[in-house]
Amino acid sequence: MTNEHTKVRIKFSKYGSMIFIGHLDIMRYFQKAMRRADIDIAYTTGFNPHQIMSFAAPLGVGLYSNGEYLDIEMNEPMNSKLMITRLNSVMVEGIDILSVKKLPKTAGNAMASVAAAAYTVAFREGYEPDFDYKEKLSDFASKDRIMVTKKTKKSEKEMDLKPFIYELSIVNDKIHMLVDASSSGNIKPSLVMEAFYKENGEVPSEFAFIITREDTYTNIGTDEKSEFVPLDAVGSEM
Amino acid sequence: MRKLALRDEILLKIDKPARYIGGEVNSVMKEKEQVDIRFAMCFPDVYEIGMSHLGIQILYDMLNQFEGVWCERVYSPWVDLDEIMRKENIPLFALESQEPIKNFDFLGMTLQYEMCYTNILQILDLSGIPFFAKDRGEDDPIVIGGGPCTYNPEPIADFFDLFYIGEGETQYEPMMRLYRKIRDKGGSRKEFLEEAAKLPGIYCPLFYQVTYKEDGTIAEFKPVKEGLPTTILKEIQMDLSDTYYPKKPVVPFIKVTQDRVVLEIQRGCIRGCRFCQAGQLYRPVRERNVDMLKEYASEMLKNTGHEEISLSSLSSSDYSKLPELIDFLIDECNRKKINISLPSLRIDAFSLDVMSKVQDVRKSSLTFAPEAGSQRMRNVINKGLTEEVILKGAKEAFEGGWSRVKLYFMLGLPTETDEDIEEIAVLSDKIARVYYETVPKEQRNGKVQIVTSTSFFIPKPFTPFQWAKMGSKEDFLDKARKVKQAVVSQLNQKSIKYNWHEADVSVLEGVFARGDRKISQVILKAYEKGCIFDAWSEFFKNDVWLSSFLECSLDIDFYTTRERSLDEVFPWDFIDCGVTKEFLKKEWQNAMAETVTLNCKEKCNGCGAARFGGGICFNREK
Ligand code: SF4
């Protein structure tokens, strides 16, 4: 980052038919949106300049979100409210700009800042589990170890999910969870759900869950004693 | 919020769900209660191809400007979704409203290449619309075709209620008014078709009858209704500066073939290459005003956010204000960090200079389309590109830092000899030699890379070669082998890569290009046996096509390799594209005599297109 650039963090939501647009296309979408909104975004130098833009945590296709983040660098700062209005005026239905914050010069990049993410899991109609998930969840959440097999392209390995699950409870009849989303331990909510089903002798259909990422968090505490705040809490209004 | 036609489960299962959800930037939503005509505009191929087509964007924008009309888009569902829709009986829907096509007033299809013909049937089938126009009822949309293939609509005539011959800017508004008038007084589908068939440029196949001679050629083609024209003159938009052009083209979420702003700078081509259909169909050349283009370029970039702009025309180098336009674009785009792509530029000092400003010369390649290897052959096809010009262009390009060259040729041209074929390899080699002579060893970045590609010549209607015999599959492959052999015997064979085009599909394209009404049964048969997406080599089933011809007792050679006499009545003769049959005959004879014809800028050759009263015919620079 050059010194004169202003680092800006943008928070947005993803819903409706936009859940079917994958991460790479969302990146392209925002590049074009910056031009439509005439945002004074900074470019890299060189023969093929591109916008300085990075996303916090890619969201899988099919997931909703109320807390997605991307960072950009701007040549000149701009009033946050004005920028939100400008960006929203060029958005499609299914993506809303929620906040625009200036980051301190010392702030780490969006992706490295991610420590955790909160999710809400509901069930698609007709796909509710046979067991009483509201009752069974607290048993599951209080287990010492939650063993799962994590499949990668090359291998399968056994792992304990428990240390990566920070919260797991029922909120408004839906399952709420706060899990590790850092680059080292990124936990997919569906993995937790599969373990929960397995515990109760069921296998979920791959379309069973309506998953919403409620927010993405960074850790402003220490490794031992973490203190999670939303990614934009480290920024300030412009 | 819009309700999608497909369930989440389906959208999450198929490839690229973004093809089917609509809702893109600049897509047009209207209140259903505010409109009384629903128009579904279709490109019968997959979304990424269809969305890249400029013509559709123009018509979409235009129709949506009409009071009371809502134009939406629909494309061919890809094979994965196609299968699900059939299994679950999900009707084909339009992207914007997500409502079934069957409920629309119009289904328009643009026909850009012959190999999309089975996809027309896919669209009708999935929509629940009868294949044959004669079987459709009051509840079915009016199915109307447009685009270059409609200059010989006969192979697909049975599937369409109407064809729009020519440029779409002119007759859609009167047609919409006519439709509204007839419907509002309770008139029938038939009444509308009868009246629509009287509009300029509109052809209603149901009202025309063909009779054949014993040898299978056409005896007579005539209207069976009183008051209908015997020939249909193409529609043309003479003033291209004051007309419809989309300031806010739709921006797809996924990467499509044309992921950029497209600026059409002119229509038509002055050059008159004898194999080229577009060069005849879109006569005369009409330019758009350079100020208009500048204004639209800026607005379109602003409204789409695209990072690239491309100029479109058959031959951009012939646009009279090109330097002024390019200066403007370079300035504008540098400031906004936008790429410029300049296809179809003739390689000369000017274009090399421009290209070196807008692209990375080390990464980009240079394109020449000599179309034929020998000068003799180039005279036959009237391609006014000499070896001297090519080699000079190559030399300048190599000096400018380019080291990749793409060369395009055709095989199977009329009068072609083995010598002409060999010359393809020889010319490729000469270009390689120029490189090694021009660029000193220490400045070379490895070998020069020359990619020589050949396609097979397919005679098209309304070209001087419409009388020509087309080669058979065996001829074609034999010729490709000869090129291959000739390439490997060149000095610089290691610098030349040779590709040739599929022969099977070219033969079929040749049948459709000059086919008659009898062909429709073959298309239906092949479709019923599973042919779809024939333009995609992975889905093209040549054996199924061959058996379909057999079962319909139709002979492929009749349409391709047969010699045609100068007085044969062609299936497309009832269409008048502006260029007269007399002119085409004269050009055919000039071809046989290896005589070159000057281009429209140098001299008017009286092709007939001057009757439209404008364009190059009246603005020739003195
Ligand atoms: S009438 Fe003459 S100038 Fe006009 S298009 Fe034909 S040949 Fe060209």
Side-chain angles (χ1 to χ4, degrees), chain B residues 290-305:
Chain B
V290 70
D291 294 320
M292 174 229 181
L293 292 175
K294 289 179 192 172
E295 182 197 328
Y296 272 77
S298 304
E299 290 232 17
M300 289 169 82
L301 285 169
K302 166 106 189 75
N303 292 331
T304 57

Side-chain angles (χ1 to χ4, degrees), chain B residues 269-270 283-285 579 583 598-601 603-611 614-618 620:
Chain B
C269 179
I270 57 171
R283 286 186 171 216
V285 168
V579 172
F583 173 78
L598 294 178
N599 72 48
C600 298
K601 234 177 215 167
K603 174 177 174 276
C604 172
N605 295 290
C607 76
R611 75 182 107 157
I616 184 87
C617 320
F618 296 87
R620 199 167 306 107

Side-chain angles (χ1 to χ4, degrees), chain A residues 121-167:
Chain A
V121 181
F123 302 95
R124 285 210 164 78
E125 227 185 285
Y127 282 107
E128 297 83 357
D130 289 337
F131 58 92
D132 186 346
Y133 68 92
K134 284 178 242 174
E135 203 191 285
K136 298 282 189 191
L137 190 74
S138 57
D139 291 351
F140 178 68
S142 56
K143 279 171 60 108
D144 290 339
R145 299 171 65 181
I146 298 178
M147 297 310 293
V148 293
T149 13
K150 210 176 175 181
K151 286 189 201 87
T152 62
K153 277 193 195 99
K154 286 199 189 102
S155 63
E156 290 188 4
K157 70 169 196 243
E158 283 280 307
M159 71 172 281
D160 181 10
L161 276 185
K162 185 71 201 234
F164 302 102
I165 302 174
Y166 307 129
E167 289 172 26

